[in-house]
Structures are given as structure tokens and as C-alpha cells.
Amino acid sequence: MNGLVLLIIAVAVLVCGYIFYGGWLCKQWGVGESDEPTPAHTMEDGVDYVPAKAPVLMGHHFSSIAGAGPITGPINAAAFGWLPCTLWILVGGIFFGGVHDFGSLIASVRHGGKSIGEIISANMSKRAKRLFIIFAYLTLILVVAAFAAIVAGTFGATYDESGALDTAASLSAARVAMVSLLFIVIAIAFGFLVYRRNMPMGVSTVFGVIAIVLIIVIGMNFHPIYLSTNTWMWIVGLYIAIASVTPVWILLQPRDYLSSFLLYAMIALAVLGVVLAHPSMDSMATAEWAVEGSSGTTYLFPVLFTTIACGAISGFHSLISSGTTSKQLDKETDAKPIAYGGMLLECVLAILTLCAIAYAYSWNAANPDSALTGATAIFGGGIAHMIDDTIPGTYSVIYTLLVLTYSAFCLTSLDTAARMGRFMFQEFWLDSSAGETPENVTGYKKVLSNPYVATIITVVLGVLLGLNGYAKIWALFGSANQLLAALALLAVATWLGNVGRNNKMFLIPMAFMLVVTICSLAINTMNQFNLIAAGGADWGPWAQAIIGILLIVLAVVLAIEGVQTLSKQKNAAKT
């Protein structure tokens, strides 16, 4: 299969999905039928609830949901072949992920911009809400730990065996770190000009894009900061702590909006690479239903569906849709292009990643001494070599730009995850049905629902886990993330049933993701017990086994409660 042909077919399928299936979903859910203002207007507080123009919010939403997922997911699943990966990306994106993201956003908007946990509380039970929030919060801690480690690793300098700085090996990291720091400065300036000096968005965008080009030029030529990865971990932790409590117009909105231009540029470069090189997908297997590895046989089901993750469906997206995006949605009709369109754009990135993998595999076969290894190198190196092999001399600049953009993905998801962790921690202690808010509660609830306390606890837990072996339990993230997706689908389905709207488009995706999650958790838990039985296991297998069992129990309990709720709705509709 020619990579360019694959890309054209995939884009055509996704565009049709957006127009026809996305349009049908709007009609089923009554999107745009009411002129009622969104929570961004009715609850505007200048901090979290701030209306944003559609392009700005699209920049925030897409930058946040993308993260590393649509790149690392296909790379990890590539052993199964390009065909199974492509089919799941397309089918999953249109009928699973897009429905999940779009539905979560609409449900949150109709519930005052509240999270999926509060939607569960309103439509199922308070017990289900608490269970969901505990699970979602712990998942966010793992996300903060992983993405903080990825960003710090991208910024961190390299040292030789004697402990001396290896300047040559650290060059790319220093450039990326410098540009990223300057990016924060121009984002703050952009937010000030737009929201406090009322500069027109078009004019501000032109200046913003020019500023991005300037800071890239500066960072490529002036990069004096060389710090260790551990030092960067604490600096990143301090940054996300500040970012998660500052008003969204100061940093979150402008930074994510400007970051989106880097992301669009990355997609454009990837498309250019595919057009120039039209890589053959033959270097990847056509269809491998099982893969033999050092840990034994890995089967396509359920592993493919937990590994591709953000490229098809991701529970993390529901937290973003209901955590930050719903609080900034200017009007309800913006939800389709932002949530459904954003998911399908991520599918395009996942397909481009498959093309980059195919080219990287071919490159590695021809150049074993300089093989591309690791997600960053396979994606960035694959695309950079596609272009460099046609336009010689461009590799270094393009590779650095792609690594910078990859880091921007992760950093954007990171500060959004910290803010959502703060929301989740606060909501756990409050009973919204009783009208409790951080301002009117007393005692321990007053302390624990304080935004600064919630932020400090979230960030410190995330950074400490990032510094002390998050990788030992990272294997659980894929299953936990897809369990989150299944529960979000369940939550939105129960809400739609309660308000008398069609919720059937959620039932098959919800059931499928529950089965995938439980099977994956069961397999992983059995593998961990085998490692423990073999002797010499550290705390990692024990933690994975215990958490895996708890997640299976959580999935079963919430599934039973959800099915009971849906059954009651069905019986009520008959009478």
C-alpha cells in the first residue's frame, strides 16, 4: 500500500464521517436548538469560566487532547500491522472517539460546565460519582507524572560517564527548552493584548505567528540553559502549579491557541513528507493477529484497542471536554467542530504517524548503525528523513521543530491535566446537589476544596511519581484510560436517557470498551502474578496486580449501576 493513497482514503473517510455522522448526532442531541447562553457566559468568573472564540478554543482543545497519544499509540501498536491500526483509527474515531468527545462536551455544557463525575452524580448516584472521581483523579496523577517526565526528558541535558555535560548531545534539548520558555512569554503577551487591550483576534494572530517564528530562530541560535532532567521536573512542576490556578485568559487560552499553530505546522510537514516520499506501508506487516515478544505472545484483541488510545478513543478526552473546554465554549454550535472535529483531526495525525513509522522502518533496515529508536525519533526522524531525502540539508531543522512540537503537545496536555486534577479534587469533597461550593463550605471541606491546596497536592503527587518510577505502573494507563472512556460513554448515555434523547449510539461503544478494558486488565493482572510467582519482583508487579483487580471491580460495579439506570429508563419509557 502506498502511504499517500492511504492518507487520501483516510482523510476522505473522516471528512464524510464529520459531515454525515456528526451532523446526525447534532440532530439527535438537539445541538443548537436552543438560544440559551453557555456556562462560559452564565457562570463567567474570569478564571475558569471564560468564553473563547471557536479558533482559540479549538487550539486549546486539540492541543490538550493530542498529547503524546496519537504518536506513541500507533508506534506501540505498529507490530500488528498497518491495516488493523488503520481500520481501528477510522472506525474508532468516527463511531467511538468522536461520539465520546462530542457527547461529553454537550453533556457538560447542559450541566453547567461540570465534570463527568457530576454528570454521573446527577444521573446515576453519588456513590458512582465518588468512585469515578477517585479513579479519574488517580489516572490524572499518572498523566501528570508521565507527561512531566516526557517534557523534562525533552528539555534535559545529556551527561557523559564522568558527569560532564555533553554539549553536542544536549544541543537539541537546549534549543527546545529555550523556545518553550520563550513561548510562555509570548502567550502571556498575547492574552494581555487580546483580553485587556482588545486587540482584534486576526491582528493578534498575525503578530503571534510572527513571534513564534522569531522565538524559534532565537532558540535555534541562543540556548544557554543546560539543566538536568530532574531539575527540569521541578521547574515543570512549578510551572503547571501556577498555570492551573491562573485565569485561563492569561496563559491557558493564548498558549494553547498559539501552540496549535505549531501542531498544524507539524501536520503540514508530515503531509509534505508523505507527498514527497509516498512511503510504502509494506515495511509494516499487513495484519498480525498475534505478536511474539520477550514477555510471550501478545494478541491483537484487546491490546490494539488499549494501545492506539488517543488515535481512536481516549477517556482522557472526556475529562478535557467536561473539565476545561465546556467552561470556555462560546456557543453550543461550536461543539461539533471543536470536539468531534478535533477528534477526527487527531485521527489524521495517527494515520500520518503510521506513514512515518513505515518510512522509519525502511530507514532502519537500510541504516542499521543509525537506526531510529523511541517514539520521538521514529515519528520525528521518519518525517524529517522523508523530506530530507528529497530536499537534502533540511533534516536537523525539521527534526528539531518536530521535537519542539511534540514537547508542546505534552506540555499543553500536562498543564490541562493539572487543572483538571484540581477540579476533580475539589469536586470530590463537595455535594453539588446541596449547593455546596468552595466558598460556602466550612471545616475540612473548606481546606480541601481550596483551589491552591488542591493544586499543590495534585502537582506534588504527580512530580514525585514522575521522579520515582511511574514507568513501573504505566502499563496500566492504556486499560485505565479506556475504562475512563467506557464510563464517560455510560454517563452520557444515562443523561440522554433521562432527558428523553436518543442514546443508542453510545451503547455499542460503551459495551465494547468495557469488554476490552476488563479483558486487558485481567490479562495484565495474570501476567503480574506470574512475575511475582517467579520471584524477585519489586513493587511494580505488586502495584499493577492490586490496582488491576481494583479497576476490574470498579468497572463491574459502575457497569451494573449504569445498566440498572438504563433499564429503569427503558421501563419508564414503556409505561
Side-chain angles (χ1 to χ4, degrees):
M1 168 63 80
N2 184 298
L4 180 57
V5 174
L6 177 66
L7 178 62
I8 292 171
I9 293 173
V11 171
V13 170
L14 293 169
V15 169
C16 289
Y18 177 82
I19 294 172
F20 298 110
Y21 197 64
W24 180 76
L25 292 175
C26 288
K27 293 178 181 178
Q28 296 301 305
W29 304 340
V31 177
E33 289 180 358
S34 172
D35 293 331
E36 290 186 14
T38 61
H41 293 281
T42 59
M43 303 175 68
E44 185 172 0
D45 60 6
V47 178
D48 297 315
Y49 289 84
V50 178
K53 295 183 183 297
V56 176
L57 189 54
M58 178 63 175
H60 158 69
H61 185 82
F62 181 56
S63 299
S64 297
I65 65 170
I71 295 173
T72 58
I75 289 173
N76 291 332
F80 293 114
W82 66 267
L83 182 57
C85 291
T86 299
L87 291 175
W88 175 234
I89 288 168
L90 298 180
V91 174
I94 293 171
F95 299 105
F96 287 65
V99 174
H100 168 273
D101 295 14
F102 190 13
S104 298
L105 178 55
I106 292 298
S108 180
V109 168
R110 303 277 177 87
H111 286 79
K114 298 295 178 60
S115 73
I116 292 295
E118 292 295 344
I119 295 168
I120 289 175
S121 177
N123 295 280
M124 289 171 59
S125 70
K126 293 180 183 178
R127 181 187 70 170
K129 166 199 166 179
R130 292 191 180 97
L131 289 173
F132 177 84
I133 287 182
I134 290 172
F135 164 60
Y137 182 75
L138 294 177
T139 302
L140 285 171
I141 293 298
L142 186 56
V143 170
V144 170
F147 283 11
I150 290 172
V151 172
T154 304
F155 293 173
T158 301
Y159 298 87
D160 61 24
E161 295 180 357
S162 65
L165 175 67
D166 187 337
T167 306
S170 304
L171 180 60
S172 180
R175 286 172 169 172
V176 171
M178 188 64 185
V179 174
S180 298
L181 292 175
L182 292 174
F183 208 100
I184 295 171
V185 175
I186 66 169
I188 294 173
F190 183 91
F192 179 78
L193 291 174
V194 172
Y195 291 99
R196 287 297 177 267
R197 288 293 178 264
N198 298 315
M199 180 179 287
M201 181 60 66
V203 176
S204 301
T205 299
V206 171
F207 280 119
V209 172
I210 292 173
I212 291 173
V213 174
L214 288 176
I215 65 171
I216 290 174
V217 173
I218 293 171
M220 294 290 286
N221 295 280
F222 178 71
H223 33 78
I225 303 175
Y226 291 82
L227 300 173
S228 69
T229 298
N230 284 356
T231 301
W232 276 116
M233 276 289 288
W234 288 109
I235 294 174
V236 168
L238 177 62
Y239 162 74
I240 61 174
I242 295 171
S244 67
V245 294
T246 54
V248 294
W249 64 265
I250 292 178
L251 190 55
L252 188 75
Q253 283 185 4
R255 182 191 173 319
D256 294 357
Y257 175 59
L258 293 176
S259 291
S260 68
F261 287 98
L262 280 177
L263 309 185
Y264 302 146
M266 181 181 76
I267 292 175
L269 282 173
V271 170
L272 175 62
V274 173
V275 170
L276 292 175
H278 43 85
S280 170
M281 306 304 292
D282 294 341
S283 59
M284 298 171 63
T286 302
E288 292 288 343
W289 308 112
V291 178
E292 297 293 335
S294 58
S295 58
T297 304
T298 300
Y299 293 96
L300 184 147
F301 182 90
V303 176
L304 175 72
F305 306 99
T306 59
T307 303
I308 295 264
C310 296
I313 180 172
S314 167
F316 181 65
H317 294 191
S318 69
L319 302 184
I320 293 170
S321 289
S322 67
T324 54
T325 304
S326 63
K327 296 176 176 62
Q328 302 172 65
L329 193 70
D330 185 36
K331 52 183 183 293
E332 199 173 81
T333 51
D334 290 342
K336 180 191 171 187
I338 289 170
Y340 197 74
M343 179 64 242
L344 299 191
L345 184 58
E346 193 166 2
C347 293
V348 173
L349 179 56
I351 295 293
L352 289 168
T353 300
L354 290 179
C355 294
I357 295 168
Y359 203 83
Y361 281 9
S362 298
W363 169 268
N364 289 349
N367 303 273
D369 294 335
S370 56
L372 302 169
T373 58
T376 305
I378 289 174
F379 176 74
I383 294 172
H385 278 304
M386 281 190 220
I387 299 173
D388 185 67
D389 288 351
T390 306
I391 310 174
T394 58
Y395 181 85
S396 178
V397 173
I398 291 175
Y399 182 77
T400 299
L401 288 175
L402 292 171
V403 172
L404 168 64
T405 307
Y406 181 75
S407 175
F409 265 120
C410 296
L411 191 56
T412 301
S413 296
L414 177 59
D415 56 30
T416 303
R419 186 176 287 262
M420 292 188 301
R422 189 249 293 180
F423 291 152
M424 288 283 181
F425 193 89
Q426 290 179 280
E427 285 181 0
F428 180 81
W429 308 103
L430 302 174
D431 183 356
S432 60
S433 63
E436 290 185 349
T437 67
E439 291 75 28
N440 63 22
V441 292
T442 59
Y444 75 93
K445 287 187 176 182
K446 184 74 171 179
V447 175
L448 294 175
S449 65
N450 180 280
Y452 299 103
V453 172
T455 297
I456 291 171
I457 291 173
T458 300
V459 172
V460 169
L461 288 175
V463 171
L464 288 177
L465 180 60
L467 288 169
N468 293 281
Y470 81 91
K472 292 182 181 294
I473 59 173
W474 181 247
L476 282 172
F477 176 74
S479 299
N481 186 43
Q482 301 309 59
L483 174 56
L484 202 59
L487 298 179
L489 290 165
L490 174 61
V492 181
T494 57
W495 161 66
L496 286 170
N498 279 338
V499 297
R501 291 282 184 177
N502 182 10
N503 64 0
K504 292 183 175 60
M505 70 288 294
F506 285 91
L507 302 183
I508 292 177
M510 176 194 69
F512 181 78
M513 297 314 300
L514 276 173
V515 171
V516 163
T517 297
I518 292 173
C519 289
S520 180
L521 287 170
I523 292 171
N524 184 67
T525 301
M526 290 174 59
N527 290 340
Q528 301 312 310
F529 278 127
N530 290 336
L531 290 175
I532 293 170
D538 59 12
W539 65 271
W542 284 100
Q544 286 199 49
I546 293 170
I547 295 172
I549 292 172
L550 292 175
L551 289 179
I552 292 173
V553 172
L554 171 69
V556 172
V557 170
L558 288 177
I560 291 173
E561 190 152 348
V563 169
Q564 290 174 342
T565 302
L566 293 171
S567 297
K568 290 177 182 177
Q569 293 171 353
K570 185 177 181 180
N571 293 333
K574 290 179 179 179
T575 57

